[in-house]
Amino acid sequence: MKTISRRLFGKAAAVSAAAAASGLSFPRLSFGQQPTTANLRYPAGFKWGCATAAYQVEGGARDGGRGPSLWDVFAHTPGKTHNGDTGDVSADSYHHYKEDVQLLKNLGVQTYRMSISWSRIFPKGTGALNPAGIDYYSRVIDELLANNITPYITLFHWDTPAALPGGWQNRDTAKAFADYAAFTTKHFSDRVKHWMTTNEFVCFTDLGYRDGQFAPGLRLSDAECNQVRHHGILAHGLALQAIRANTPSGTDVGLAEDAAVFVPVIETPEHVRAARQATRLGNAPFLTAIMEGKYPEEYLQQEGANAPRVEPGDMEAIGGKLDFVGLNIYDPHFARADNSPQGFSVIPLPASYPHMWSPWLNMGPEGIYWGVRNVTDLWKVPAIYITENGTSSDDVLKPDGHIEDVDRVMFLRNYLTQLHRAVSEDYPVKGYFLWSLMDNFEWADGYSKRFGLHYVDFQTLKRTPKLSAEWYKAVIAQNAVL
Ligand code: GBH
């Protein structure tokens, strides 16, 4: 990767030449000249979008023949979610999808990342199809296309059909997922050209089966958890093969992964190398295995007898070539070079490290740049999308109807400024999906954390744009960070 593009270099040279001629070194642009944000313009054709996920926004949990998912079961189990909240109704996008497409249209986005609920298509995960579920997504897709919005669809955002025996402990679930992926992508292949297999392995494997904090709420051993992880990436690999076999050329397939992001503590070559190495090993069971078609030796050695059992053909499927890698970027880690055998250490964050309204959401705009850079430098991926980025905020709907989420705008402005650096250095970032279009069911946090550009009153289901929606609309219109 070039470290600085010719375009940027030319601009910098012109500015310093002008400064030299005038005998001034600062400021680079004097008052009344071109605004600085003009330097933060994105290239023509950059795709702006918003993201949501089926269980988080749809509601209609028992409507249209939908089968229950592990998240229905989990959320209905006392003590598992904040306040006992469930996705039964949520923002009720199942019934309000036309209104939601108008929210997208008003923002001016070119793309929308949504997910399909597996158990709306196959209520039991396998076997009998549910025509009403297919019809629902068909109408959503048509509505998007009629409004000039390109759908990017995730096939699995954690809502495993509850009827599948053993969930992700069972290798057959990976095969069932590939069958569902084959059917669904084939069925919609005339209208949908961009697919993501899975969203965030760690959240439906480790958090569900080892830490017990997400569905299905189990606390299994390391060996069992490694096997669940393997079934997760196997599902991705088998689905990738199935989609390739069932869709015409010109169909792009990727995934959406919250790869652990490592920022070098200081941007010097040794720490940059450390951050890259930390990225490779920190994502060993998931993205690294997928990008390299094998588990790193270091991971297998570390897990020893607990390492996953792998069958012949698994790693070939898992390592299948992707058209794009989707990165969900939130909180960063910091890596530094050291003399340990692995050559780096990860810095524990000081208690004073700033975070957003969700306590885990440490603020780290550089993470979006380094996430892109580390992944591209390690694996030479052809295209990257930021498939999620955004923040919760203590949004208050004031009597005048305004929600002034300046903290969300601050967060997004800084992340998009850092993403601009990646784009300027010619890293292959094609688009950005903001999480989220509207407030929704934030998993174990229920409705206590709002991530939307639109405020949802969960009693009346009224959507109200926040200040951040107004801001994002202006960013999209100008194709620049404002
Ligand atoms: C994404 O996960 C999800 O894809 C999306 O569905 C979700 O709504 C969005 O982020 C916002 O959270 O409770 O301290 O144990 C982001 C990665 C991994 C972040 C799990 C929260 C739990 C932290 N998430 N993590 S904690």
Side-chain angles (χ1 to χ4, degrees):
M1 266 310 127
K2 280 184 264 173
T3 50
I4 187 162
S5 73
R6 219 174 293 162
R7 189 158 51 86
L8 269 189
F9 180 74
K11 210 182 288 171
V15 168
S16 46
S22 67
L24 290 172
S25 50
F26 285 100
R28 296 202 328 188
L29 297 166
S30 58
F31 184 73
Q33 280 186 310
Q34 204 185 20
T36 0
T37 46
N39 297 331
L40 295 177
R41 201 166 292 287
Y42 275 69
F46 188 83
K47 295 192 171 76
W48 299 102
C50 288
T52 62
Y55 189 66
Q56 294 182 270
V57 296
E58 279 181 8
R62 287 177 203 82
D63 292 356
R66 177 181 175 278
S69 79
L70 292 180
W71 265 96
D72 293 284
V73 177
F74 185 75
H76 278 274
T77 306
K80 299 298 185 189
T81 64
H82 173 88
N83 197 35
D85 291 345
T86 74
D88 285 1
V89 179
S90 187
D92 201 28
S93 204
Y94 185 73
H95 297 104
H96 292 250
Y97 70 90
K98 288 193 176 170
E99 189 182 338
D100 294 338
V101 171
Q102 289 313 304
L103 301 181
L104 290 162
K105 184 165 185 177
N106 178 53
L107 289 172
V109 296
Q110 293 90 10
T111 55
Y112 178 48
R113 174 175 176 241
M114 55 181 265
S115 84
I116 286 184
S117 152
W118 180 352
S119 61
R120 275 198 200 283
I121 306 287
F122 292 101
K124 293 193 180 324
T126 56
L129 268 171
N130 174 32
I134 298 164
D135 182 57
Y136 167 65
Y137 290 113
S138 190
R139 283 183 279 122
V140 174
I141 291 164
D142 284 344
E143 189 71 15
L144 288 165
L145 294 175
N147 285 280
N148 267 323
I149 298 164
T150 306
Y152 280 60
I153 301 187
T154 316
L155 289 159
F156 177 69
H157 201 122
W158 314 349
D159 40 5
T160 317
L164 289 171
W168 291 102
Q169 286 184 270
N170 187 343
R171 189 181 159 92
D172 290 345
T173 295
K175 294 188 194 144
F177 178 67
D179 292 343
Y180 149 68
F183 171 82
T184 307
T185 57
K186 181 175 184 175
H187 185 84
F188 293 118
S189 63
D190 57 332
R191 286 167 287 163
V192 181
K193 305 291 177 199
H194 302 88
W195 296 95
M196 285 143 288
T197 53
T198 50
N199 183 74
E200 301 189 349
F201 295 106
V202 77
C203 295
F204 69 91
T205 60
D206 294 24
L207 297 185
Y209 289 83
R210 189 193 64 194
D211 305 338
Q213 133 201 12
F214 278 4
L218 302 180
R219 291 176 186 275
L220 304 179
S221 68
D222 287 352
E224 290 167 309
C225 178
N226 283 333
Q227 200 58 38
V228 163
R229 291 168 164 185
H230 183 69
H231 296 157
I233 62 170
L234 180 61
H236 157 79
L238 296 177
L240 175 62
Q241 291 181 334
I243 300 168
R244 296 275 190 234
N246 283 280
T247 56
S249 67
T251 305
D252 281 357
V253 191
L255 81 183
E257 178 59 343
D258 61 332
V261 166
F262 298 90
V263 175
V265 278
I266 307 171
E267 199 172 322
T268 51
E270 71 271 27
H271 298 306
V272 168
R273 248 192 326 273
R276 196 159 58 224
Q277 181 66 349
T279 302
R280 183 168 178 270
L281 295 183
N283 294 289
F286 304 123
L287 192 60
T288 307
I290 287 171
M291 300 315 294
E292 301 184 3
K294 58 179 175 9
Y295 289 112
E297 268 316 308
E298 293 90 335
Y299 170 67
L300 294 175
Q301 269 171 26
Q302 176 196 305
E303 298 301 317
N306 293 331
R309 291 183 314 279
V310 176
E311 294 191 10
D314 287 4
M315 297 317 294
E316 286 71 25
I318 289 166
K321 281 246 168 311
L322 297 174
D323 300 305
F324 67 90
V325 170
L327 297 175
N328 296 354
I329 306 272
Y330 291 93
D331 53 321
H333 304 281
F334 294 88
R336 73 178 302 148
D338 70 7
N339 294 324
S340 66
Q342 60 180 12
F344 67 87
S345 52
V346 178
I347 312 287
L349 294 180
S352 56
Y353 194 92
H355 63 78
M356 305 304 290
W357 195 237
S358 301
W360 58 267
L361 218 179
N362 296 311
M363 170 92 186
E366 317 92 311
I368 205 166
Y369 168 76
W370 287 101
V372 167
R373 176 162 164 182
N374 290 330
V375 165
T376 315
D377 288 355
L378 276 167
W379 299 304
K380 311 281 171 275
V381 294
I384 290 193
Y385 286 90
I386 302 302
T387 34
E388 286 181 28
N389 172 240
T391 184
S392 51
S393 169
D394 182 21
D395 299 313
V396 177
L397 176 59
K398 296 202 298 197
D400 64 3
H402 288 139
I403 302 111
E404 286 166 329
D405 52 343
V406 287
D407 54 346
R408 179 174 287 108
V409 173
M410 176 277 290
F411 178 99
L412 295 168
R413 182 186 286 132
N414 280 281
Y415 277 70
L416 282 181
T417 299
Q418 288 286 328
L419 184 63
H420 185 270
R421 179 182 172 197
V423 170
S424 304
E425 293 176 8
D426 292 339
Y427 286 96
V429 187
K430 307 296 178 199
Y432 171 90
F433 295 90
L434 199 156
W435 186 273
S436 179
L437 174 62
M438 59 194 157
D439 296 338
N440 58 54
F441 176 75
E442 175 56 12
W443 306 112
D445 287 336
Y447 298 102
S448 69
K449 293 289 181 289
R450 296 173 176 271
F451 275 80
L453 291 177
H454 295 90
Y455 185 93
V456 177
D457 178 326
F458 291 104
Q459 303 305 316
T460 63
L461 299 175
K462 182 169 190 272
R463 284 100 161 107
T464 307
K466 304 176 189 175
L467 171 69
S468 55
E470 201 183 315
W471 174 83
Y472 193 43
K473 181 176 174 150
V475 166
I476 295 169
Q478 305 250 347
N479 204 26
V481 186
L482 299 175

